[in-house]
Amino acid sequence: MRAGRAVRILVLGFGLAASVAAAAATGPGAIDLDLRVSLDPAARQLRGEGVLRVPPGPAETVVLDGRYRDARLQWGGAPLRAAPAAAGHQAWTLPASDSTREVALAWAGQVEALDRNLDHRDTLEHNLPASSEDGSFLPADSGWYPAIPERPMRYRLELRLPAGQRGLVPGNLLEERDDATGYMARFDFPREGVGIDLMAGPYQITERIVTSLSGRPLRLRTWFLPGLENLAAGYLDSVADHLRTYERWIGPYPLDGFSVVASPTPTGFGMASLTYLGADVIRLPFIRATSLGHEVLHNWWGNGVRPAPGRGNWTEGLTTLMADYHVRERESAEAAREARIGWLRDIAALPQERDAGLEAFTARTHAASHIIGYQKTAMLLLMLRDHIGREAFDAGLRSLWRTHAFRPASWDDLRQAWEHAAGRDLGSFLEPWLRRPGIPTVRVESARLVHGTSGPLLRLHLSQDTPDRVLRVPLVLRGGGRSWDAEVLLEGAATTVDLAVPAIPDEVVLDQDARLLRRLGPGEAPPIVRDLMVDLRASLRVLSPEAGYRRAAREMADRLLDAPPEDRPAVAPLDGPALVVGPRAALLAFLGQVGLEAQPQPDTDGAAAMAWTLRGPAGPVLAITAEDEADLRALARPLPHLGRQSWLVTQGGRVSAKGVWPSRPPVTPVQAVQFE
Ligand SMILES: [Zn+2]
């Protein structure tokens, strides 16, 4: 993204996320904007005026979208001359000056009609200002107000809308009037921010005042569209919870309030002091715990402390760890482990040539960069936390917040904060990950017992293919009905260590708990529904002659898989990846024929239908049992959203249980005692 808001939200578990604007370093001082804006959604007319104050310095370029033809900029009583600029914008050159330049602004024009059919990706790509009486969204990046790109700024903004409409921009609400003559609100963004997004609609506002950790009142609001009223109180509860959590964890919330704003299109954006979510997204039951916390936290990381331009964006990985992953950690140790395996699985899907050092991530532009900026960064930060301990990790973050709020921070600034808190140098641990690509393949090459002077020792030989990484490799030793933990420091391509052992182990398990950022081996990650979704070779086998049933299976397959699977007769053998669908008895008989009957199956008590993944002889298999067409359709509806699951069952038209099979970490047998 160019200048503009900080953060985009992650919705539904696939990467609709993130770009953080490249705000310039503090440099020559903040720009100051004072705007009065009126928007008429019925006519889609935008009108603005105000003053742009630019600190003393060299010539600057002021930019505005070319659609606002009626634009006038004046400085020192004389008009500035507009010239066409890139991307359909118009630009004005503001001459250099050794005193503050006050530029008078006036502009007007018509914006696009809101297209409710746009999905989130469209909204991201089009980046157009759009308005209707159902809702309006003027993205900062669309150039809807005159601004100097890439320069942080403070602003005050007065917004006027016709009666029945309400609206907002990020920042503190100073004043508000809402009556038969229309709506007026004044906002103040007193710190250096990176752009103004404007939202309006026929909102019903629900407000609650809570007290911040530092004793300040915080104004929490929902700006909801008709039909969402019942959800307002729950959302305000959750916002209050998240704010309390992060204030205690990091430091005081920097603004006067937080708003959850509904969008008529299925979108999800995070900005300072608010999140803008599609009405359908707001209805999803898990959003309050997951995406909402992520967006609230971006007020500290992303919109509060900004990533230093060109130095790598660390904010998404840290927010993923402290919001999304934190939710899973609070749920259970097993849920947290599943989350880590999910990250490692995504990281394993990253082709070597598309991998990069974490500093190379600035914004999500494709799936590969998403994996680097979110999962890989979060996993490294988790390893760092394991390395220096939670206390030092959190203390470093608190100190970063104290020293860098509303300023840019680079990975070096984070490293210094953690080094200071931990009292040790982290250069050799962090630098290779930041500067260079690499996802280590780690192996326990051999494990054997040797005689030591005071008893048997376990001699371990470990290797990795990224010798620049310093890895603390967690191991579990098992034997004689016992198991115990060990850790081996792996520096360089290989190491050999002798461990004193309390009993004779039979085998050594590598990274059983999935805490090491490494490339998973083949077959190590449990099979999940998504394995089949993305497999372009998949075939469809339907074990029912009934026409309605077969049609439902076909429709489900076309919706679920990236490529429509070929219809194949339901007979053995299974010579490739397959979606196998049928009534339970027929399906189990078929799995028996192809030798898959012994694989795990979900608990079936009371299930109307179920889906589960298997490791087939020639690729992933997704088995689905449903006795009739109605049960099959009820399972088909949620299935595309459950790609990260290994199995699920439905009952009464709803998913009643789901889960992920255990992973299979690499096991190395211990060889017998050797005499030396
Ligand atoms: Zn984010």
Side-chain angles (χ1 to χ4, degrees):
M1 302 296 306
R2 289 163 288 131
R5 86 186 59 79
V7 190
R8 306 212 189 277
I9 194 174
L10 190 74
V11 177
L12 295 177
F14 53 90
L16 294 180
S19 77
V20 168
T26 32
I31 314 282
D32 195 273
L33 259 178
D34 208 332
L35 299 180
R36 288 176 300 285
V37 174
S38 65
L39 178 67
D40 178 355
R44 292 157 30 217
Q45 276 294 329
L46 174 72
R47 188 169 292 282
E49 56 175 35
V51 179
L52 171 67
R53 286 182 197 86
V54 184
E60 299 274 11
T61 303
V62 183
V63 169
L64 177 69
D65 185 355
R67 76 175 61 240
Y68 307 105
R69 298 224 176 82
D70 189 10
R72 291 185 313 280
L73 274 65
Q74 289 199 337
W75 177 48
L80 298 173
R81 195 177 308 155
H89 282 44
Q90 48 193 326
W92 293 262
T93 301
L94 178 62
S97 172
D98 52 15
S99 58
T100 297
R101 290 156 282 183
E102 290 208 352
V103 184
L105 315 167
W107 76 104
Q110 192 174 42
V111 302
E112 303 290 309
L114 182 86
D115 181 354
R116 298 189 66 153
N117 295 320
L118 288 187
D119 68 11
H120 187 75
R121 272 166 223 275
D122 293 335
T123 312
L124 284 181
E125 276 161 22
H126 291 234
N127 206 15
L128 293 172
S131 187
S132 82
E133 287 178 296
D134 293 339
S136 303
F137 181 43
L138 310 184
D141 304 341
S142 73
W144 67 267
Y145 59 91
I148 299 175
E150 313 287 314
R151 288 283 300 277
M153 58 170 192
R154 299 181 293 255
Y155 60 83
R156 280 161 307 289
L157 186 145
E158 180 183 302
L159 173 63
R160 285 176 186 274
L161 297 162
Q165 292 276 320
R166 287 160 200 99
L168 74 163
V169 296
N172 300 327
L173 178 65
L174 300 179
E175 185 191 350
E176 191 176 40
R177 212 176 50 231
D178 188 10
D179 56 34
T181 65
Y183 178 83
M184 188 286 296
R186 289 198 304 120
F187 298 88
D188 178 30
F189 200 89
R191 313 295 293 263
E192 289 187 12
V194 288
I196 313 173
D197 300 89
L198 188 152
M199 289 134 279
Y203 290 129
Q204 293 173 326
I205 298 170
T206 306
E207 180 175 292
R208 186 184 303 171
I209 306 291
V210 300
T211 306
S212 82
L213 201 59
S214 52
R216 286 182 308 128
L218 298 179
R219 185 195 303 272
L220 312 187
R221 281 185 164 192
T222 54
W223 304 63
F224 278 1
L225 295 165
L228 296 171
E229 305 83 352
N230 295 342
L231 301 174
Y235 266 86
L236 294 177
D237 288 346
S238 297
V239 171
D241 278 352
H242 291 309
L243 286 172
R244 206 164 30 237
T245 299
Y246 293 121
E247 282 206 306
R248 286 193 186 133
W249 198 345
I250 306 165
Y253 180 70
L255 293 153
D256 287 357
F258 189 88
S259 289
V260 183
V261 186
S263 160
T265 57
T267 193
F269 293 117
M271 305 147 198
S273 79
L274 66 92
T275 183
Y276 186 50
L277 295 174
D280 291 344
V281 174
I282 286 172
R283 286 195 185 91
L284 295 172
F286 51 84
I287 292 293
R288 277 170 50 189
T290 54
S291 305
L292 185 62
H294 185 110
E295 294 312 314
V296 168
L297 181 54
H298 270 313
N299 281 281
W300 282 265
W301 314 132
N303 294 317
V305 186
R306 301 190 300 268
R311 307 284 303 280
N313 177 3
W314 46 270
T315 67
E316 290 301 345
L318 183 58
T319 303
T320 300
L321 181 75
M322 294 179 71
D324 310 56
Y325 180 71
H326 180 61
V327 171
R328 307 293 298 275
E329 265 189 325
R330 274 190 311 188
E331 196 181 320
S332 70
E334 189 46 38
R337 188 169 161 280
E338 275 177 18
R340 294 192 297 274
I341 289 177
W343 291 347
L344 291 178
R345 177 198 298 280
D346 291 340
I347 292 166
L350 188 62
Q352 217 132 29
E353 66 278 9
R354 302 192 69 185
D355 185 25
L358 302 184
E359 274 187 346
F361 173 75
T362 51
R364 182 182 74 88
T365 48
H366 44 72
S369 73
H370 184 274
I371 292 170
I372 293 164
Y374 287 70
Q375 289 91 328
K376 193 178 171 190
T377 300
M379 191 73 201
L380 175 72
L381 293 174
L382 183 73
M383 278 208 305
L384 176 73
R385 197 182 73 180
D386 285 349
H387 185 53
I388 63 174
R390 259 174 215 256
E391 217 168 289
F393 187 82
D394 290 349
L397 292 175
R398 280 193 290 274
S399 113
L400 185 79
W401 178 242
R402 279 195 304 274
T403 52
H404 285 77
F406 294 97
R407 294 177 46 210
S410 67
W411 274 107
D412 290 336
D413 297 314
L414 271 81
R415 177 185 143 186
Q416 278 168 24
W418 279 314
E419 283 181 336
H420 189 73
R424 66 169 104 166
D425 180 81
L426 296 170
S428 58
F429 180 87
L430 278 175
E431 295 300 300
W433 293 105
L434 303 180
R435 313 262 189 258
R436 293 185 289 282
I439 301 163
T441 296
V442 180
R443 288 200 180 88
V444 178
E445 300 286 354
S446 67
R448 57 197 167 96
L449 289 168
V450 296
H451 280 295
T453 46
S454 55
L457 295 170
L458 180 65
R459 179 162 295 171
L460 294 171
H461 184 57
L462 272 69
S463 73
Q464 63 160 327
D465 58 354
T466 50
D468 60 346
R469 307 297 138 115
V470 178
L471 303 174
R472 290 161 51 130
V473 182
L475 303 170
V476 174
L477 313 183
R478 290 200 292 235
R482 297 176 58 188
S483 75
W484 59 98
D485 296 330
E487 187 180 85
V488 171
L489 182 68
L490 177 54
E491 285 179 291
T495 191
T496 300
V497 293
D498 288 345
L499 298 181
V501 285
I504 304 295
D506 303 324
E507 56 187 23
V508 179
V509 188
L510 171 72
D511 189 25
Q512 175 167 280
D513 214 22
R515 300 197 84 93
L516 192 61
L517 173 40
R518 64 188 173 94
R519 198 174 280 280
L520 292 180
E524 192 177 339
I528 54 172
V529 173
R530 199 185 56 189
D531 296 343
L532 193 80
M533 289 163 74
V534 300
D535 201 317
L536 303 179
R537 307 163 301 156
S539 66
L540 172 65
R541 317 244 184 168
V542 186
L543 303 151
S544 166
E546 205 260 305
Y549 193 101
R550 297 188 69 86
R551 205 162 41 240
R554 182 77 238 173
E555 286 169 24
M556 174 180 71
D558 290 348
R559 235 180 104 224
L560 185 65
L561 305 189
D562 283 357
E566 186 196 345
D567 241 318
R568 299 277 300 278
V571 290
L574 212 47
D575 52 2
L579 174 59
V580 187
V581 188
R584 184 173 168 76
L587 190 127
L588 292 181
F590 176 76
L591 293 181
Q593 280 169 35
V594 298
L596 288 175
E597 79 282 2
Q599 302 243 352
Q601 277 179 43
D603 199 353
T604 57
D605 276 0
M610 54 185 180
W612 73 101
T613 56
L614 305 95
R615 291 177 206 276
V621 173
L622 179 61
I624 291 178
T625 65
E627 296 312 306
D628 59 31
E629 182 187 337
D631 284 347
L632 183 57
R633 289 190 184 278
L635 181 110
R637 269 190 295 277
L639 194 55
H641 303 292
L642 295 166
R644 285 178 177 275
Q645 303 299 322
S646 293
W647 60 269
L648 58 125
V649 300
T650 55
Q651 204 176 350
R654 304 187 46 167
V655 177
S656 57
K658 57 186 164 57
V660 179
W661 303 131
S663 63
R664 297 201 296 206
V667 174
T668 308
V670 175
Q671 296 159 28
V673 177
Q674 294 185 352
F675 294 91
E676 302 207 329

